Amino acid sequence: MDEPSALYAWGMDITLRQMELFLSVAEAEPFTRAAEEVLLSQPVLSRTVQQLEHAVGAKLFERTTRSLALTPEGTELLGVARDILRTYHRGMERFAALRAGERGTVTVAALPSVAAGMLPGVFRAVLGEHPAMQLRILDGTTREVIEYVRSGAAELAIAEGGNADPQVRGQLLCEEPVLAVLPADHPLTERASVTWHDLAQQPFVAFTPSSSVRRLADLSFEQAGVRPTNVIETREVGTAAGMISAGLGVSAVPRLVLPLMAFGRLVTRPLNGPGTVRKLAVYTPRTPVLPPASAYFLHRLLRGAGAEHDGSGSGLSETGEQGNKGERRV
């Protein structure tokens, strides 16, 4: 009996083209019909089968003037050929889908508010078009999510704009307004809009200094020339929503943060003096080139950013749910 290494040695001389033609002959019979199907002359097809028989060291067909039948060795090789070609074609289909951006894994790092308010709509659209794609989310602060891209843990990051890092490339994604968030029964809800000066006169629920929301609030208070004197500080959006809902203070957050506060009895109002927006950017590595799946996701994200910014991904309409007093509930 041949040693496995010997079988492997002659197997190296077999080509996929030979396997394909052998399969055509075995399934089509006779040679003339197989030759027509593969667009080859009968002599060329016969010579290919003879070369394959020489390579495997066995007769594959019993030939007569009227018929062509597989030998036992031919029947065994037919099963092998089918397995090899099936695996090959499936593998090439997966590879082609990967090159086209239809398959692959994309890891997106994002601020929690973006992960909850914007990405669900984008993920739904991407998976609706390419259900075989695998998507992952890593959330964190602006510094953390950009570090995910720098380290290679994520291919894209969505965070506060304006971060200068030589290892990442930033592109403006959208702008969203910062809104005042008030307890449902607060006197300021009687107004159509409020100012930062108004908020500074109330107990203010602030986020920790590492938060992009906190930096926006601090800058806006500074521009307004005021500073809140009574501050409750927390890192968690849910905690802030609970504090505000209980009447312990007011706050100000970008619109995409509102879905994370939806369990509370809260009202939002436009903020003026100054009007403040949060700029969101998408960050990618400067090198290397994004994999096809990630490049497709980026294209879809940029294409859908306008719709998401209009509120379709946040669960909130532009006007919000109106109560008896015109409150915008979140």
Side-chain angles (χ1 to χ4, degrees), residues 5 19 24 104 127 146-147 180 184 190 192 264 277 280 309 312:
S5 59
M19 285 290 191
S24 297
L127 293 176
I146 291 179
E147 178 58 31
E190 301 293 336
V277 298
L280 294 175
H309 180 50
S312 62

Side-chain angles (χ1 to χ4, degrees), residues 38-272:
V38 298
L39 303 178
L40 291 175
S41 67
Q42 184 174 343
V44 171
L45 188 57
S46 297
R47 186 162 59 251
T48 300
V49 171
Q50 291 171 357
Q51 291 170 346
L52 180 60
E53 288 178 328
H54 177 75
V56 301
K59 191 175 183 181
L60 302 176
F61 293 98
E62 292 289 353
R63 301 169 178 82
T64 68
T65 56
R66 293 181 175 272
S67 65
L68 186 70
L70 286 167
T71 64
E73 291 86 350
T75 300
E76 182 67 23
L77 187 62
L78 178 62
V80 173
R82 284 172 174 161
D83 289 342
I84 290 173
L85 293 173
R86 185 184 305 115
T87 300
Y88 169 75
H89 289 303
R90 286 178 179 173
M92 292 307 297
E93 287 172 0
R94 289 196 300 271
F95 179 72
L98 178 67
R99 289 291 307 276
E102 297 172 1
R103 295 181 65 93
T105 299
V106 181
T107 302
V108 184
L111 300 174
S113 58
V114 173
M118 177 187 291
L119 288 184
V122 180
F123 275 35
R124 182 173 60 247
V126 168
L127 293 176
E129 296 173 0
H130 303 305
M133 191 177 291
Q134 301 294 316
L135 303 176
R136 299 174 62 238
I137 299 176
L138 300 173
D139 61 12
T141 65
T142 290
R143 179 178 297 179
E144 289 169 342
V145 300
I146 291 179
E147 178 58 31
Y148 284 135
V149 171
R150 291 180 72 255
S151 67
E155 293 82 41
L156 303 95
I158 305 173
E160 185 182 17
N163 287 271
D165 188 309
Q167 296 187 39
V168 298
R169 178 184 292 107
Q171 182 175 355
L172 181 65
L173 185 60
C174 65
E175 295 181 353
E176 55 171 339
V178 175
L179 303 174
V181 184
L182 313 169
D185 56 356
H186 197 280
L188 287 177
T189 62
E190 301 293 336
R191 303 185 186 182
S193 64
V194 298
T195 67
W196 289 95
H197 184 274
D198 295 329
L199 296 186
Q201 307 309 307
Q202 308 293 324
F204 190 80
V205 179
F207 294 93
T208 52
S210 63
S211 166
S212 62
V213 177
R214 172 63 176 272
R215 290 191 291 274
L216 281 171
D218 288 348
L219 179 61
S220 298
F221 279 127
E222 182 180 344
Q223 291 175 343
V226 295
R227 178 181 299 177
T229 57
N230 188 349
V231 174
I232 300 173
E233 188 174 285
T234 179
R235 177 176 177 173
E236 301 299 329
V237 175
T239 302
M243 294 291 179
I244 301 167
S245 184
L248 296 175
V250 300
S251 193
V253 301
R255 184 170 55 191
L256 281 176
V257 176
L258 297 178
L260 301 177
M261 309 176 87
F263 67 89
R265 294 185 63 250
L266 307 175
V267 176
T268 66
R269 287 289 180 268
L271 259 172
N272 301 310

Side-chain angles (χ1 to χ4, degrees), residues 284-301:
T284 56
R286 289 195 178 274
T287 56
V289 176
L290 283 177
S294 300
Y296 169 78
F297 185 93
L298 176 60
H299 167 75
R300 193 64 182 79
L301 173 67

